[in-house]
Amino acid sequence: MMDDLRDKYLAAIASAADEASLEELRVAAVGKKGEVSLKMRGLGKMTPEERQVAGPALNALKDEINSALTAKKIALADEALDARLAEEWLDVTLPSRPRPEGTIHPVSQVTEEVTAILADMGFAVAEGPQIEDDWYNFDALNIPSHHPARTEMDTFYMHRAEGDNRPPHVLRTHTSPVQIRSMQQHGAPLRIICPGRVYRADYDQTHTPMFHQVEGLAIDKDISMANLKWVLEEFFSAFFGTSVKTRFRASHFPFTEPSAEVDIQCSWEGGTVKVGEGDGWLEVLGSGMVHPKVLEAGGIDPAEWQGFAFGMGIDRMAMLKYGVPDLRAFFDSDLRWLRHYGFRSLAVPTLHGGL
Ligand code: DAH
């Protein structure tokens, strides 16, 4: 009788096809009203002798059925997993789907190049606000209120509330105000560059209302124009990857004395400019020895310290190095242009990796 039950359930469990039928079998055999459970309840009506034999046998049967259920459950789960693994097989050797890759903008690329070269020469990178106090943008740089340079720079002025008569803030017209901020912050000696955005109300093939400059400033006890010339020639040669001569022309900036505009050597052939060869010249930056009044505005004693400064257009450098004819295209966000002139994002410019 007990053997019949045993054979019946073990056979049914062995051939169960899924978890649901296993659960039905569990209920039918060892559930509250299952066959085995009912038999166990019948133990009470047996004689002690009968019970001594039937009790352990029923317990053993219950255990055996429970173990069979558990084992079958695991086996079914394993089978299901194997089936899934076989079905959802993935060839990891296949090439991935191509994804459009962005590119690095020439201005970003050139900013990194310029920074890499000048950082190697000991210049730290400094930053300042693009919305600038007019004192930093002008007065501290020895450009007083009625100086013509203020109007020449086509300044964008910020709005002041009605009745507020303080001078308005400006969008910085050059990176030179960062000279003052750096002097105030760090004092002398000092060696910094400041790359960043500047703004002027101007628009044609070589001018956009927003463009980029890099400022350089070196202050120490015995700095001269000779140091400036060496730094710039080193810089241009590293940047253009060929030895580049410079020509200094006397000029005037309120914040330097003496002041010089610097040209680099180039050739003009067939409408294209080649830097570092020929006997033509191209103006690329303004520079000079920092004016004593500017040192004072920065909190540095001009009797003790002196220095050189320069300011250069980054976009201009990018146009020259990478042969971009029109500045306006830099900021048009034309994808075809960006793909053509952009740089691979993994090609980070470094001195040792090549610029
Ligand atoms: N700030 C000038 C400009 O934007 C450029 C310049 C000239 C910067 C001479 C300098 C300098 O530091 O010494 O036109």
Side-chain angles (χ1 to χ4, degrees), residues 153 173-176 179 200 213 215-216 253 255-256 260 285-289 309-312:
M153 277 189 168
T173 56
H174 49 183
T175 43
S176 303
Q179 287 191 30
R200 291 181 201 180
Q213 288 188 333
E215 194 79 11
F253 299 105
F255 29 89
T256 42
L285 60 80
S287 65
M289 297 303 292
F310 62 87
M312 179 169 60

Side-chain angles (χ1 to χ4, degrees), residues 98-104 335 338-339 343-346:
R99 289 226 219 157
E101 244 182 78
T103 55
I104 302 296
L335 271 181
L338 290 168
R339 288 198 185 111
F343 293 81
R344 300 254 345 252
S345 52
L346 292 175

Side-chain angles (χ1 to χ4, degrees), residues 62-95:
K62 187 180 170 191
D63 287 348
E64 201 175 352
I65 290 177
N66 275 330
S67 310
L69 283 166
T70 311
K72 182 66 182 181
K73 200 169 168 182
I74 292 170
L76 282 175
D78 284 352
E79 263 171 45
L81 183 61
D82 284 345
R84 253 188 84 184
L85 286 175
E87 193 179 324
E88 295 176 14
W89 181 82
L90 199 67
D91 184 354
V92 293
T93 66
L94 282 175

